[in-house]
Short mmCIF file of all heavy atoms in Angstrom, two decimals:
data_model
loop_
_atom_site.label_atom_id
_atom_site.label_comp_id
_atom_site.label_asym_id
_atom_site.label_seq_id
_atom_site.Cartn_x
_atom_site.Cartn_y
_atom_site.Cartn_z
N TRP A 1 0.82 -1.19 0.00
CA TRP A 1 0.01 -0.03 0.02
C TRP A 1 0.84 1.25 0.03
O TRP A 1 0.70 2.26 -0.79
CB TRP A 1 -0.87 0.02 1.20
CG TRP A 1 -1.76 1.22 1.38
CD1 TRP A 1 -1.40 2.40 2.06
CD2 TRP A 1 -3.11 1.48 0.91
NE1 TRP A 1 -2.39 3.27 2.02
CE2 TRP A 1 -3.49 2.72 1.32
CE3 TRP A 1 -3.97 0.73 0.18
CZ2 TRP A 1 -4.62 3.33 0.98
CZ3 TRP A 1 -5.18 1.21 -0.20
CH2 TRP A 1 -5.62 2.55 0.21
N ASN A 2 1.86 1.27 0.87
CA ASN A 2 2.69 2.49 0.98
C ASN A 2 3.54 2.80 -0.26
O ASN A 2 3.70 3.84 -0.69
CB ASN A 2 3.61 2.36 2.17
CG ASN A 2 2.92 2.44 3.55
OD1 ASN A 2 1.86 3.06 3.58
ND2 ASN A 2 3.53 1.91 4.60
N ARG A 3 4.00 1.74 -0.84
CA ARG A 3 4.81 1.88 -2.10
C ARG A 3 3.90 2.47 -3.23
O ARG A 3 4.28 3.35 -3.91
CB ARG A 3 5.33 0.53 -2.61
CG ARG A 3 6.90 0.47 -2.65
CD ARG A 3 7.37 -0.79 -3.22
NE ARG A 3 6.56 -2.00 -3.43
CZ ARG A 3 6.45 -2.95 -2.55
NH1 ARG A 3 7.26 -3.04 -1.48
NH2 ARG A 3 5.71 -3.94 -2.88
N ALA A 4 2.69 1.93 -3.27
CA ALA A 4 1.71 2.42 -4.30
C ALA A 4 1.29 3.87 -4.05
O ALA A 4 1.27 4.68 -4.92
CB ALA A 4 0.51 1.50 -4.35
N MET A 5 1.01 4.21 -2.79
CA MET A 5 0.50 5.54 -2.46
C MET A 5 1.49 6.56 -2.48
O MET A 5 1.33 7.69 -2.99
CB MET A 5 -0.24 5.53 -1.09
CG MET A 5 -1.49 4.66 -1.03
SD MET A 5 -2.75 5.14 -2.15
CE MET A 5 -2.57 3.90 -3.41
N TYR A 6 2.67 6.27 -1.89
CA TYR A 6 3.73 7.38 -1.67
C TYR A 6 4.87 7.32 -2.58
O TYR A 6 5.47 8.45 -2.93
CB TYR A 6 4.20 7.30 -0.20
CG TYR A 6 2.98 7.42 0.72
CD1 TYR A 6 2.52 6.29 1.42
CD2 TYR A 6 2.26 8.53 0.91
CE1 TYR A 6 1.44 6.41 2.38
CE2 TYR A 6 1.18 8.60 1.71
CZ TYR A 6 0.76 7.61 2.44
OH TYR A 6 -0.28 7.68 3.25
N LEU A 7 5.17 6.20 -3.17
CA LEU A 7 6.33 6.21 -4.05
C LEU A 7 5.88 6.32 -5.59
O LEU A 7 6.41 7.07 -6.28
CB LEU A 7 7.20 4.92 -3.83
CG LEU A 7 7.97 4.87 -2.53
CD1 LEU A 7 8.76 3.57 -2.45
CD2 LEU A 7 8.92 5.97 -2.43
N ARG A 8 4.97 5.36 -5.84
CA ARG A 8 4.54 5.30 -7.24
C ARG A 8 3.27 6.25 -7.59
O ARG A 8 2.94 6.44 -8.67
CB ARG A 8 4.21 3.87 -7.62
CG ARG A 8 5.41 3.02 -7.71
CD ARG A 8 5.11 1.70 -8.21
NE ARG A 8 6.33 0.86 -8.23
CZ ARG A 8 6.71 0.06 -7.10
NH1 ARG A 8 5.98 0.14 -6.05
NH2 ARG A 8 7.79 -0.63 -7.24
N GLU A 9 2.66 6.63 -6.50
CA GLU A 9 1.46 7.39 -6.56
C GLU A 9 0.45 6.81 -7.53
O GLU A 9 -0.04 7.42 -8.49
CB GLU A 9 1.77 8.90 -7.04
CG GLU A 9 2.56 9.62 -5.92
CD GLU A 9 2.70 11.00 -6.22
OE1 GLU A 9 2.71 11.48 -7.37
OE2 GLU A 9 2.98 11.73 -5.26
N THR A 10 0.12 5.52 -7.24
CA THR A 10 -0.88 4.79 -8.02
C THR A 10 -2.19 5.02 -7.26
O THR A 10 -2.42 4.42 -6.31
CB THR A 10 -0.53 3.23 -8.08
OG1 THR A 10 0.82 3.08 -8.65
CG2 THR A 10 -1.50 2.52 -8.91
N PHE A 11 -3.02 5.81 -7.93
CA PHE A 11 -4.27 6.12 -7.15
C PHE A 11 -5.47 5.55 -7.81
O PHE A 11 -6.56 5.54 -7.22
CB PHE A 11 -4.41 7.60 -7.03
CG PHE A 11 -3.30 8.33 -6.37
CD1 PHE A 11 -2.49 9.29 -6.98
CD2 PHE A 11 -2.98 8.04 -5.09
CE1 PHE A 11 -1.44 9.83 -6.40
CE2 PHE A 11 -1.96 8.61 -4.39
CZ PHE A 11 -1.13 9.61 -5.07
N VAL A 12 -5.49 5.15 -9.16
CA VAL A 12 -6.54 4.58 -9.75
C VAL A 12 -6.16 3.13 -10.22
O VAL A 12 -5.10 2.94 -10.91
CB VAL A 12 -6.95 5.39 -10.95
CG1 VAL A 12 -8.14 4.68 -11.78
CG2 VAL A 12 -7.41 6.86 -10.46
N ILE A 13 -6.96 2.16 -9.91
CA ILE A 13 -6.67 0.77 -10.36
C ILE A 13 -7.93 0.15 -10.97
O ILE A 13 -9.09 0.51 -10.61
CB ILE A 13 -6.13 -0.11 -9.22
CG1 ILE A 13 -7.08 -0.14 -8.03
CG2 ILE A 13 -4.79 0.33 -8.83
CD1 ILE A 13 -6.66 -1.16 -6.93
N ASP A 14 -7.66 -0.74 -11.98
CA ASP A 14 -8.71 -1.34 -12.59
C ASP A 14 -9.21 -2.58 -11.77
O ASP A 14 -8.34 -3.39 -11.39
CB ASP A 14 -8.30 -1.87 -13.95
CG ASP A 14 -9.41 -2.44 -14.74
OD1 ASP A 14 -10.66 -2.41 -14.30
OD2 ASP A 14 -9.13 -3.11 -15.81
N MET A 15 -10.39 -2.61 -11.41
CA MET A 15 -11.04 -3.62 -10.51
C MET A 15 -12.13 -4.33 -11.19
O MET A 15 -12.95 -4.99 -10.55
CB MET A 15 -11.41 -3.04 -9.20
CG MET A 15 -10.35 -2.56 -8.36
SD MET A 15 -9.06 -3.76 -7.86
CE MET A 15 -10.04 -4.60 -6.53
N GLN A 16 -12.16 -4.30 -12.55
CA GLN A 16 -13.34 -4.84 -13.23
C GLN A 16 -13.62 -6.29 -12.94
O GLN A 16 -14.71 -6.64 -12.71
CB GLN A 16 -13.11 -4.70 -14.77
CG GLN A 16 -14.29 -4.95 -15.63
CD GLN A 16 -15.36 -3.85 -15.36
OE1 GLN A 16 -15.09 -2.69 -15.36
NE2 GLN A 16 -16.57 -4.31 -15.18
N ARG A 17 -12.55 -7.12 -12.79
CA ARG A 17 -12.79 -8.56 -12.59
C ARG A 17 -13.25 -8.86 -11.12
O ARG A 17 -13.81 -9.86 -10.91
CB ARG A 17 -11.49 -9.31 -12.84
CG ARG A 17 -10.32 -9.02 -11.91
CD ARG A 17 -9.09 -9.69 -12.51
NE ARG A 17 -8.19 -9.86 -11.40
CZ ARG A 17 -7.68 -11.09 -11.18
NH1 ARG A 17 -7.93 -12.20 -11.86
NH2 ARG A 17 -6.84 -11.31 -10.11
N TRP A 18 -13.11 -7.88 -10.23
CA TRP A 18 -13.50 -8.10 -8.87
C TRP A 18 -14.77 -7.22 -8.60
O TRP A 18 -15.39 -7.32 -7.49
CB TRP A 18 -12.43 -7.59 -7.90
CG TRP A 18 -11.24 -8.40 -8.00
CD1 TRP A 18 -10.05 -8.05 -8.58
CD2 TRP A 18 -10.96 -9.59 -7.37
NE1 TRP A 18 -9.07 -8.96 -8.44
CE2 TRP A 18 -9.62 -9.97 -7.69
CE3 TRP A 18 -11.67 -10.55 -6.57
CZ2 TRP A 18 -9.01 -11.17 -7.28
CZ3 TRP A 18 -11.02 -11.66 -6.16
CH2 TRP A 18 -9.83 -12.03 -6.50
N SER A 19 -15.23 -6.38 -9.47
CA SER A 19 -16.18 -5.40 -9.18
C SER A 19 -17.54 -5.94 -8.63
O SER A 19 -18.00 -5.47 -7.55
CB SER A 19 -16.51 -4.60 -10.48
OG SER A 19 -17.21 -3.51 -10.24
N ASP A 20 -18.15 -6.88 -9.29
CA ASP A 20 -19.46 -7.42 -8.88
C ASP A 20 -19.33 -8.13 -7.46
O ASP A 20 -20.24 -7.89 -6.61
CB ASP A 20 -20.00 -8.41 -9.92
CG ASP A 20 -20.40 -7.63 -11.19
OD1 ASP A 20 -20.56 -6.48 -11.17
OD2 ASP A 20 -20.48 -8.36 -12.20
N VAL A 21 -18.41 -8.91 -7.36
CA VAL A 21 -18.21 -9.64 -6.07
C VAL A 21 -17.98 -8.58 -4.90
O VAL A 21 -18.66 -8.69 -3.87
CB VAL A 21 -17.00 -10.62 -6.19
CG1 VAL A 21 -16.61 -11.17 -4.77
CG2 VAL A 21 -17.19 -11.65 -7.12
N LEU A 22 -17.13 -7.60 -5.13
CA LEU A 22 -16.83 -6.65 -4.09
C LEU A 22 -18.05 -5.80 -3.70
O LEU A 22 -18.33 -5.67 -2.56
CB LEU A 22 -15.64 -5.71 -4.56
CG LEU A 22 -14.29 -6.37 -4.48
CD1 LEU A 22 -13.24 -5.40 -5.04
CD2 LEU A 22 -13.90 -6.86 -3.11
N HIS A 23 -18.79 -5.51 -4.69
CA HIS A 23 -19.97 -4.59 -4.39
C HIS A 23 -21.00 -5.48 -3.60
O HIS A 23 -21.36 -4.99 -2.48
CB HIS A 23 -20.69 -4.14 -5.67
CG HIS A 23 -21.96 -3.47 -5.48
ND1 HIS A 23 -22.06 -2.36 -4.69
CD2 HIS A 23 -23.17 -3.88 -5.92
CE1 HIS A 23 -23.40 -2.04 -4.74
NE2 HIS A 23 -24.04 -2.87 -5.40
N SER A 24 -21.33 -6.64 -4.06
CA SER A 24 -22.37 -7.39 -3.28
C SER A 24 -21.88 -7.76 -1.91
O SER A 24 -22.68 -7.72 -0.94
CB SER A 24 -22.75 -8.61 -4.08
OG SER A 24 -21.72 -9.58 -4.14
#
């Protein structure tokens, strides 16, 4: 998490394959 947020600044990720499961 820290590497993504503070070093790479990855703020948007594709979650299409998990989207329906995560929502429900």
